């Protein structure tokens, strides 16, 4: 079951929209596939990204992965707890394992994101 | 993860991995678990704290047999397989003609007529084809691929030894050294065990089991507490141990060039140029590499073209993870690439030194191996390109150390030991005096001292040790020009001349021999002097040639109680040859009885003497419960007409020489060395006794002993303690009839009383455990240091001791105790029984018995077995006044 109140990308990121700011993390499916997250290379606050840019490099014990900006905007906050405890991404991916917040310049960027039901269907289609 | 394809090979444990929920990936053509549900970090940490269990049945295993097997293996491998006695394994490399690695491998010799070569799974077919092609050039060699017949499990980590001991039904554990092998029965199946592994864990075992018994053993080891670890954890563990992985540190580098074998630091142990190897594959290229490597290690880069880059451990100083292929820069210059890198977890550590403990917290650190220019040494700053960033890094010597079992110890590159403050300023003088007073009161009045190598000297010996001629010089040498009269080099030496001649005469009387050398100032120096004299004597007929070392020595292994000073790592180092076959010091160890490892197996020892013909046989131990078989060895040497010199290092038992223990010269020893302050009455010095008389050819050895003492070992021979020692020998010769039997009776009573409390006393209960002053108790694997510390906190001073089956002093599971000093202070059998009860209460119940120990000690503060008559009072007072 994936949380109902979030939006999802086809790259297995979740996006939570509040007051024109998107909070971004990775889904349970993604953390499970990556295995132990050992390093999250967080972006600098105020850095600007275009939708689809690589915003974060994520390192698991075995391999590296990229997290992309789901919208165009500017980083407003990052989760510094991940510096000391990157395993939060594995253990609490939808809450304590959030990665960054980005301002939403254009709400239209959200149009391509999936709701929970669509994402679950998407996961099934990937099996 | 992608589902495994049916075409992939599966180990016999595949279903077990699936049932455990493993993520399975393709590796070298096999469907293998990369991790189990707890994940790589947890699996890595479990291996470092408890035990990891790895299915490595995918590795290729080739059995090589036949009369030509050795010749074949010498040709196709880089190491010297003739150095492998039965029961040993070695790291080795399959080289190509250009000095690169076709693969790295491990060669096991479980039985005399078969070698088992373990190769990487991904290279199995390639290795097989190469070896088959070579095989055609040799006669009488048969090679079989036994990969599918044998399940191979790896059991690694601090508790692996306990797990293995628990499941073994029959057969011995392998000897406590890396690469030793044995065969045991587990679950009714025959299991071959090697102390090898790919994690850097000091306690490490690899198990070879018939295919059908694999699942049963896997389940049993998990039931006993082993944690299954997949290939992901295997990789992070080997990276932390800086062990190479083919395809990363061997094979081709990032630019497609072959990595020379000698670029990998571990290869030093895997490449041999022994003449026994003949003309092996890649020999010429490896020779160039090796010459370059030796120069580079001496910081000479003149041959660097033959070894331009090397594999080096690198720690990231900045944030990030360096992966294989990342570009490395030094001083703005591109110097190479990362070959392996990731974040690895490590347990926190608390405390310092031997008392440091793993905590239950863990952290992560970013480490790697890099292939960088050979002239970049340790602690050099680097930068690593990670995506669009440049991250600072540093070359380090290692990421972890394995020599302190039971744990592998992570080494963090910028770690600083906390500095203990030292006394400074004007108060430091008073501080020193106060502390000396407090320490003397504590050790002499309030503690029970059970260190078997210590003794308190008598007040007279103590006083004499600091009076004149303390601090003076009295070098002297017998001169043939003056009928061997002693010639002194300085004036004012009349008194010490008399002391020394008297000391010699008293020592001859005590030892029961013809000659004694008393100028050595320690037992270790006495041993070094004998070894040096042996080399001097062996070369006496030709002084123009390079003086050769002793060809073969026999001794007690340090792990079986042998003296440190009789080991190649100790005083023997520069006096014994290398064995051309094993390329190790030519030392053969006395075999011990399987049922009592504290005792020499005499028939087996005699066979070895016959086989090895040692020039010097060194008896004697520092962990000593029994007499040494001097008479048996002498009889055998005489009967077999073997011309070995028999030396008995009696350091510990010098004070017990006599009818209650052993009379070394009557039994046939040629030389006795000793320290004069363990069971003997002190002061702290050394002595050599010899049985040779002037009419014997071997007297030339004794003359060499004299030369190697002075001017070989001493110039100033510490005249003060020599005068003190003369008093100690007077005491010993006068009181030994009473002292010696009392020491042995006390030791036996103490041992028996300790056993009666339920403690595990080592040795043979039939003889009340000991024939000496020593008592050994087993307190549990690796618990020795902690319990010795706990006893010290209760004013009972002894030392932790590794048992014959333990890997290192850091893993000591025993305490060594001696009764001689407290016997001299007057303790009797009942007092030792009381003490045994107190020791039990500390060890078993963690009781605080400090006050009871102080109270016991308060009855025994007057030293016995020394002269205390009133007639000496007046002169003693005068001496005191002169201090």
């Amino acid at each position: 079951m994936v949380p109902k109140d979030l939006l999802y990308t086809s790259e297995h990121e979740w996006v939570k929209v509040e007051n024109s700011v998107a909070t971004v993390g990775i889904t349970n499916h993604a953390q499970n596939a990556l295995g132990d997250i050992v390093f999250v290379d967080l972006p600098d606050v105020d850095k600007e990204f275009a939708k689809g840019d690589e915003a974060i490099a994520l390192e698991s014990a075995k391999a590296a992965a990229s997290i992309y900006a789901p919208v165009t905007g500017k980083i407003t906050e990052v989760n510094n707890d991940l510096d000391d405890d990157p395993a939060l991404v594995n253990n609490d991916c939808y809450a304590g394992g959030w990665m960054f917040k980005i301002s939403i310049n254009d709400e239209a960027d959200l149009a391509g994101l999936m709701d929970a039901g669509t994402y679950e269907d998407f996961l099934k289609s990937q099996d | 993860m992608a589902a495994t394809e049916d075409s992939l090979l599966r180990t016999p444990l595949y279903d077990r991995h699936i049932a455990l929920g493993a993520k399975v990936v393709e590796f070298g053509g096999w469907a293998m678990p990369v991790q189990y549900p707890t994940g790589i970090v947890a699996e890595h940490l479990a291996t470092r704290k408890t035990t990891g269990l790895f299915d490595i049945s995918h590795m290729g295993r080739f059995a090589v047999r036949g009369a030509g097997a050795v010749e074949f293996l010498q040709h196709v491998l880089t190491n010297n397989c003739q150095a492998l006695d039965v029961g040993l394994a070695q790291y080795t490399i399959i080289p190509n003609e250009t000095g690169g690695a076709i693969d790295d491998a491990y060669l096991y010799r479980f039985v005399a007529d078969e070698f088992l070569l373990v190769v990487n799974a991904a290279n199995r077919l390639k290795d097989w084809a190469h070896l088959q092609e070579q095989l055609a050039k040799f006669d009488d060699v048969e090679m079989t691929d036994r990969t599918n017949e044998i399940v191979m499990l790896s059991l690694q980590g601090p508790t692996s030894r306990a797990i293995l001991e628990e499941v073994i039904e029959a057969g011995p554990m392998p000897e406590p050294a890396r690469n030793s092998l044995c065969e045991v029965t587990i679950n009714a199946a025959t299991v071959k065990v090697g102390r090898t592994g790919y994690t850097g864990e000091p306690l490490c075992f690899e198990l070879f089991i018939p295919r059908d018994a694999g699942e049963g053993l896997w389940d049993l080891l998990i039931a006993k507490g082993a944690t299954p670890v997949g290939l992901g954890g295997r990789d992070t563990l080997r990276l932390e141990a800086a062990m190479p992985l083919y395809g990363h540190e061997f094979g081709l580098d990032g630019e497609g060039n072959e990595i020379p074998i000698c670029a990998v630091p571990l290869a030093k142990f895997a490449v041999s140029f022994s003449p026994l190897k003949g003309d092996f594959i890649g020999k010429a290229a490896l020779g160039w590499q090796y010459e370059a490597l030796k120069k580079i290690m001496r910081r000479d880069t003149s041959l660097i073209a033959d070894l331009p880059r090397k594999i080096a451990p690198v720690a990231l100083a900045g944030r990030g993870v360096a992966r294989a292929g990342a570009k490395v820069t030094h001083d703005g210059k591109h110097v190479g690439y990362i070959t392996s890198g990731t974040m690895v977890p490590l347990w926190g550590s608390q405390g310092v030194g031997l008392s440091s403990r793993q905590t239950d917290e863990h952290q992560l650190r970013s480490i790697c191996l890099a292939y960088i220019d050979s002239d970049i040494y340790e602690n050099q700053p680097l930068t690593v390109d990670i995506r669009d960033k440049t991250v600072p890094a540093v070359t380090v010597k290692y990421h972890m150390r394995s020599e302190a079992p039971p744990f592998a110890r992570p080494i963090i590159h910028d770690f600083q030991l906390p500095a203990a403050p030292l006394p400074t300023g004007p108060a430091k003088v008073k501080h020193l005096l106060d502390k000396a007073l407090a320490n003397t009161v504590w050790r002499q009045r309030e503690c029970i001292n059970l260190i078997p190598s210590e003794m308190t000297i008598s007040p007279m010996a103590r006083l004499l040790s600091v009076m004149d001629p303390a601090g003076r010089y009295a070098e002297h040498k017998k001169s043939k020009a003056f009928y061997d009269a002693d010639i002194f080099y300085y004036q004012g030496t009349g008194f010490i001349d008399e002391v020394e001649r008297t000391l010699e005469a008293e020592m001859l009387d005590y030892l029961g021999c013809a000659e004694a050398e008393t100028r050595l100032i320690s037992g270790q120096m006495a041993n070094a002097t004998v070894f040096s004299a042996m080399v001097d004597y062996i070369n006496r007929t030709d002084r123009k040639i390079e003086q050769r070392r002793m060809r073969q020595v026999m001794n007690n292994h340090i792990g079986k109680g042998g003296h440190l000073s009789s080991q190649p790592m100790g005083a023997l180092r520069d006096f014994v040859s290398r064995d051309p076959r094993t390329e190790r010091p030519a030392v053969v160890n006395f075999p011990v009885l399987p049922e009592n490892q504290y005792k020499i197996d005499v028939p087996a020892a005699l066979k070895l003497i016959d086989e090895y013909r040692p020039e010097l046989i060194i008896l004697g131990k520092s962990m000593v419960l029994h007499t040494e078989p001097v008479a048996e060895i002498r009889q055998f040497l005489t009967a077999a007409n073997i011309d070995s010199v028999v030396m008995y290092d009696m350091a510990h038992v010098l004070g017990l020489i006599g009818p209650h223990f052993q009379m070394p010269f009557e039994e046939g020893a040629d030389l006795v060395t000793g320290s004069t302050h363990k069971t003997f009455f002190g002061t702290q010095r050394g002595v050599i006794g010899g049985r040779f008389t002037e009419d014997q050819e071997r007297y030339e050895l004794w003359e060499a002993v004299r030369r190697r003492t002075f001017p070989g070992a001493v110039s100033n021979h510490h005249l003060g303690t020599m005068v003190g020692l003369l008093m100690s020998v007077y005491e010993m010769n006068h009181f030994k009839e009473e002292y010696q039997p009392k020491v042995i009776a006390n030791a036996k009573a103490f041992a028996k009383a300790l056993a009666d409390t339920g403690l595990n006393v080592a040795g043979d209960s039939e003889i009340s455990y000991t024939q000496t002053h020593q008592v050994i108790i087993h307190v549990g694997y690796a618990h020795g240091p902690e319990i010795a510390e706990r006893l010290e906190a209760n004013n009972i001073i002894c030392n932790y001791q590794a048992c014959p089956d333990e890997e290192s002093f850091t893993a000591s599971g025993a305490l060594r105790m001696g009764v001689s000093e407290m016997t001299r202070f007057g303790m009797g059998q009942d007092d030792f029984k009381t003490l045994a009860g107190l020791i039990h209460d500390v060890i078993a119940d963690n009781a605080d018995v400090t006050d009871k120990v102080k109270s016991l000690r308060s009855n025994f503060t007057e030293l016995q077995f020394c002269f205390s008559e009133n007639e000496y009072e007046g002169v003693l007072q005068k001496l005191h006044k002169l201090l």
Side-chain angles (χ1 to χ4, degrees):
Chain A
M1 291 294 287
V2 303
K4 296 287 173 223
D5 56 336
L6 304 178
L7 298 173
Y8 299 90
T9 73
S10 56
E11 304 292 335
H12 304 283
E13 295 144 7
W14 58 260
V15 180
K16 184 178 183 182
V17 179
E18 279 171 319
N19 306 324
S20 292
V21 172
T23 305
V24 181
I26 64 169
T27 67
N28 187 54
H29 173 87
Q31 72 78 17
N32 194 38
L34 286 167
D36 290 332
I37 303 301
V38 292
F39 182 64
V40 184
D41 196 1
L42 295 167
D44 296 333
V45 171
D46 289 341
K47 191 164 178 184
E48 292 185 18
F49 289 101
K51 178 175 177 169
D53 283 353
E54 186 194 62
I56 280 189
L58 203 59
E59 300 275 0
S60 78
K62 229 11 217 174
S66 297
I67 306 299
Y68 304 97
V71 295
T72 297
K74 187 196 272 187
I75 300 292
T76 61
E77 194 180 343
V78 297
N79 182 0
N80 288 315
D81 290 349
L82 299 179
D83 286 348
D84 291 333
D85 190 8
L88 280 171
V89 177
N90 297 110
N91 302 336
D92 194 14
C93 66
Y94 292 115
W98 70 275
M99 293 177 186
F100 62 89
K101 296 185 182 185
I102 183 166
S103 61
I104 304 170
N105 288 1
D106 183 354
E107 299 276 341
D109 284 350
L110 300 171
L113 302 181
M114 293 176 262
D115 64 17
T118 315
Y119 179 62
E120 280 186 343
D121 291 343
F122 172 72
L123 282 180
K124 278 178 203 148
S125 74
Q126 297 244 301
D127 278 347
Chain B
M1 285 293 150
T4 56
E5 294 172 30
D6 291 341
S7 60
L8 292 181
L9 297 165
R10 294 175 175 185
T11 78
L13 296 168
Y14 177 81
D15 292 344
R16 289 293 192 270
H17 304 318
I18 298 300
L20 285 166
K23 274 185 199 167
V24 172
V25 297
E26 188 275 337
F27 181 82
W30 294 77
M32 293 300 291
V34 67
Q35 66 166 82
Y36 299 89
T38 50
I40 292 171
V41 169
E43 291 166 27
H44 182 118
L45 289 169
T47 305
R48 296 283 186 235
K49 193 182 267 297
T50 53
T51 289
L53 176 65
F54 308 71
D55 174 17
I56 51 171
S57 307
H58 61 308
M59 300 201 76
R61 269 135 310 147
F62 305 152
V64 182
R65 310 173 69 104
V70 165
E71 203 185 337
F72 168 66
L73 292 172
Q74 291 289 40
H75 185 71
V76 297
L77 300 175
T78 55
N79 214 332
N80 171 17
C81 73
Q82 264 157 290
L84 280 188
D85 290 320
V86 175
L88 285 178
Q90 68 185 189
Y91 183 49
T92 194
I93 292 160
I94 306 174
N96 62 25
E97 282 296 352
T98 50
I102 294 172
D103 202 357
D104 64 338
Y106 235 89
L107 186 67
Y108 293 78
R109 194 176 182 204
F110 285 103
V111 289
D113 60 351
E114 183 181 286
F115 292 90
L116 189 64
L117 186 69
V118 178
V119 302
N120 280 301
N123 291 334
R124 177 166 67 114
L125 299 178
K126 176 182 78 170
D127 295 346
W128 178 260
H130 166 74
L131 294 173
Q132 280 296 337
E133 190 189 320
Q134 294 298 322
L135 196 66
K137 303 174 190 165
F138 291 83
D139 295 328
D140 290 331
V141 195
E142 179 194 329
M143 188 168 74
T144 325
D145 186 345
R146 299 186 59 197
T147 306
N148 290 319
E149 297 163 35
I150 306 170
V151 162
M152 192 172 170
L153 301 181
S154 184
L155 189 72
Q156 311 269 308
T159 62
S160 60
R161 175 190 153 108
I163 290 175
L164 195 58
E165 278 178 328
E166 199 182 332
V167 301
I168 288 178
E169 287 156 6
M173 286 284 284
E175 283 291 308
R178 195 169 164 84
N179 292 332
S180 66
L181 312 178
C182 71
E183 195 177 285
V184 299
T185 308
I186 305 175
N187 262 353
T190 299
V191 180
K192 292 185 163 76
V193 182
R195 283 193 185 250
T196 51
Y198 194 43
T199 59
E201 281 299 318
L203 300 186
C204 55
F205 303 93
E206 290 181 320
L207 314 175
F208 302 75
I209 320 119
R211 187 184 173 94
D212 295 346
E215 288 186 324
L217 182 57
W218 174 266
D219 294 343
L220 178 63
L221 294 170
I222 290 175
K224 295 294 178 191
T227 300
V229 182
L231 293 179
R234 186 167 163 82
D235 189 40
T236 57
L237 287 159
R238 72 91 195 168
L239 172 63
E240 195 179 23
M243 289 172 156
L245 172 61
Y246 189 89
H248 289 253
E249 288 77 34
F250 281 121
L252 300 182
D253 71 9
E255 293 165 354
N257 301 312
E258 182 175 86
I259 300 175
I261 287 170
C262 289
V264 178
L266 266 182
K268 264 216 314 276
F269 303 98
V271 175
S272 164
F273 297 100
S274 163
L276 297 172
K277 283 189 66 61
D279 188 21
F280 62 95
I281 294 173
K283 182 179 182 181
L286 285 168
W288 298 122
Q289 292 175 22
Y290 202 70
E291 288 309 311
L293 175 64
K294 285 192 284 188
K295 290 226 176 206
I296 291 164
M297 287 170 71
R298 294 189 201 113
R299 316 247 162 166
D300 170 349
T301 53
S302 57
L303 295 179
I304 201 164
D306 289 322
L307 200 63
R309 283 183 175 170
K310 62 172 180 186
I311 299 292
V314 170
L316 244 56
R319 291 166 40 78
V321 176
R323 301 285 182 183
K327 203 168 142 185
V328 180
T329 316
H330 173 63
D331 273 348
K333 181 183 152 214
H334 172 220
V335 292
Y337 297 92
I338 300 297
T339 52
S340 301
T342 188
M343 281 278 182
V344 302
L346 68 155
W347 290 109
S349 179
Q350 222 169 36
V352 175
L354 198 49
S355 52
S356 53
R357 298 276 175 273
Q358 269 182 0
T359 66
D360 289 329
E361 304 292 316
H362 76 268
Q363 54 200 81
L364 293 162
R365 59 174 170 161
S366 187
I367 58 171
C368 20
L369 292 170
Y371 187 49
I372 52 171
D373 288 357
S374 297
D375 56 357
I376 301 175
Y377 297 94
E378 287 93 38
N379 291 318
Q380 294 301 305
L382 304 174
T383 55
V384 182
D385 291 356
I386 302 178
R387 287 177 289 272
D388 55 345
K389 291 182 186 165
T390 304
V391 179
V394 61
T395 51
V396 295
K397 255 191 163 144
Y398 27 72
H399 296 306
M400 196 186 82
R401 298 289 295 184
S402 301
E403 78 269 31
F407 295 99
R409 319 277 172 168
I411 300 293
I412 299 167
H413 77 93
D414 55 358
F415 182 84
Q416 295 285 332
L417 274 178
L422 296 175
T424 51
K428 67 187 179 186
V429 174
K430 182 71 175 14
H431 173 86
L432 175 60
L433 294 172
D434 286 342
K435 280 231 143 162
L437 176 64
N439 184 61
T440 303
V441 170
W442 182 57
R443 291 294 301 263
Q444 288 287 333
R445 296 279 186 270
E446 297 173 355
C447 284
I448 299 280
N449 188 45
L450 298 173
I451 307 271
S453 38
E454 292 178 356
M455 175 58 72
T456 289
I457 56 176
S458 69
M460 282 187 193
R462 193 179 294 254
L463 187 57
L464 291 173
S465 297
V466 295
M467 303 309 301
D468 212 282
R472 306 218 177 274
Y473 272 75
E475 293 148 312
H476 61 90
K477 195 173 187 288
K478 288 187 193 310
S479 169
K480 300 246 181 257
F482 302 105
Y483 304 100
D484 267 348
D486 255 322
I487 309 301
F488 278 73
Y489 295 18
Y490 295 115
Q491 298 310 119
T493 53
F495 172 55
I496 194 65
D497 177 23
E498 182 194 294
V499 166
E500 201 170 318
R501 282 186 288 114
T502 317
L503 178 59
E504 257 188 39
E506 291 279 337
M507 270 296 183
L508 293 180
D509 190 31
Y510 179 76
L511 297 170
C513 60
E515 295 281 352
E517 174 57 74
T518 59
R519 284 174 290 183
L520 290 321
I521 58 172
S522 72
Q524 162 117 0
M525 187 189 274
N527 282 356
T529 300
V530 169
F531 306 150
S532 177
M534 282 294 296
V535 172
D536 185 329
Y537 170 73
I538 287 166
N539 292 285
R540 68 194 178 284
T541 52
D542 190 347
R543 298 297 190 191
K544 290 182 183 167
I545 54 162
E546 189 63 43
Q547 303 286 279
R548 79 160 173 87
R549 300 174 176 205
M550 287 182 274
R551 285 214 175 92
Q552 185 72 49
V553 171
M554 188 166 189
N555 70 2
N556 286 302
H557 190 275
I558 188 164
K560 304 288 183 270
H563 287 284
L564 184 58
S565 56
S566 315
Q567 312 295 317
M569 71 159 93
L572 190 57
R573 184 185 188 279
D574 296 334
F575 305 106
V576 65
S577 306
R578 294 254 147 191
D579 182 324
R581 180 177 67 84
T582 65
E583 300 171 80
R584 289 189 291 271
V587 173
V588 60
N589 299 130
F590 279 109
V592 295
L593 294 171
E595 69 277 12
N596 179 2
Q597 300 208 353
Y598 297 91
K599 199 167 185 180
I600 289 176
D601 178 343
V602 176
L606 299 181
K607 264 171 91 173
L608 284 181
I609 291 173
D610 199 24
E611 184 186 338
Y612 283 89
R613 307 273 162 152
E615 288 181 301
L616 179 67
I617 296 172
I618 309 171
L619 290 156
K621 297 176 184 179
S622 55
M623 176 170 64
V624 53
L625 297 177
H626 297 281
T627 56
E628 292 278 78
V630 183
E632 291 93 327
I633 287 171
R634 172 56 63 197
Q635 279 158 22
F636 177 75
L637 292 175
T638 307
N641 201 20
I642 298 172
D643 197 22
S644 308
V645 171
V646 179
M647 161 186 160
Y648 188 176
D649 179 349
M650 297 191 78
H652 265 268
V653 291
L654 192 76
L656 301 180
I657 288 177
H660 305 284
F661 178 65
Q662 210 168 1
M663 319 260 269
F665 288 104
E666 279 188 19
E667 291 185 28
D670 292 319
L671 297 168
V672 165
T673 59
S675 39
T676 51
H677 49 269
K678 294 179 164 68
T679 46
F680 206 81
F681 282 164
T683 55
Q684 286 185 321
R685 300 185 61 87
V687 66
I688 304 172
R691 76 172 175 87
F692 307 115
T693 50
E694 265 184 274
D695 53 318
Q696 293 173 317
E697 188 270 343
R698 277 277 155 89
Y699 193 75
E700 290 184 41
L701 172 59
W702 183 256
E703 289 178 320
V705 167
R706 292 287 199 197
R707 283 194 296 277
R708 297 323 298 156
T709 299
F710 175 79
V714 288
S715 169
N716 178 339
H717 49 281
H718 294 195
L719 308 183
T721 57
M722 192 168 215
V723 184
L725 182 60
L726 176 56
M727 181 56 71
S728 304
V729 187
Y730 284 159
E731 292 160 356
M732 180 56 81
N733 278 334
H734 190 268
F735 294 105
K736 65 183 179 187
E737 292 304 331
E738 194 189 340
Y739 165 76
Q740 292 175 339
K742 203 172 168 194
V743 168
I744 292 164
N746 277 346
K748 285 177 187 280
F750 186 39
K752 215 169 150 295
L754 286 163
D756 288 345
T757 68
L759 290 172
N760 182 0
V761 179
D764 181 358
S765 61
E766 297 282 307
I767 57 157
S768 300
Y769 306 98
T770 181
Q771 297 175 308
T772 70
H773 63 307
Q774 285 190 15
V775 177
I776 312 278
I777 53 178
H778 293 158
V779 293
Y781 181 72
H783 288 293
E786 183 263 315
I787 290 179
E789 209 168 283
R790 208 195 297 169
L791 285 166
E792 180 184 326
N794 283 276
N795 282 16
I796 297 169
I797 312 288
C798 63
N799 70 277
Y800 58 85
Q801 172 80 45
C803 301
D805 64 348
E806 289 166 349
E807 295 81 6
S808 160
F809 69 95
T810 59
S812 293
L815 302 176
R816 187 183 67 156
M817 301 177 164
V819 301
S820 37
E821 179 169 337
M822 295 319 299
T823 299
R824 206 178 174 199
F825 273 109
M827 277 178 60
Q829 296 182 34
D830 286 342
D831 308 310
F832 277 105
K833 283 177 195 161
T834 305
L835 178 61
L838 297 175
I839 288 172
H840 166 269
D841 294 348
V842 174
I843 295 176
D845 306 334
N846 204 3
D848 180 353
V849 301
T850 315
D851 289 336
K852 291 179 184 167
V853 172
K854 279 188 189 170
S855 157
L856 178 63
R857 174 70 210 237
S858 68
N859 303 319
F860 305 104
T861 55
E862 286 294 313
L863 200 80
Q864 320 275 304
F865 307 116
C866 56
F867 305 106
S868 55
E869 287 77 4
N870 286 336
E871 58 181 293
Y872 310 122
E873 220 20 65
V875 66
L876 286 174
Q877 290 300 334
K878 286 181 189 166
L879 284 167
H880 267 289
K881 275 193 189 145
L882 283 168
L883 273 180

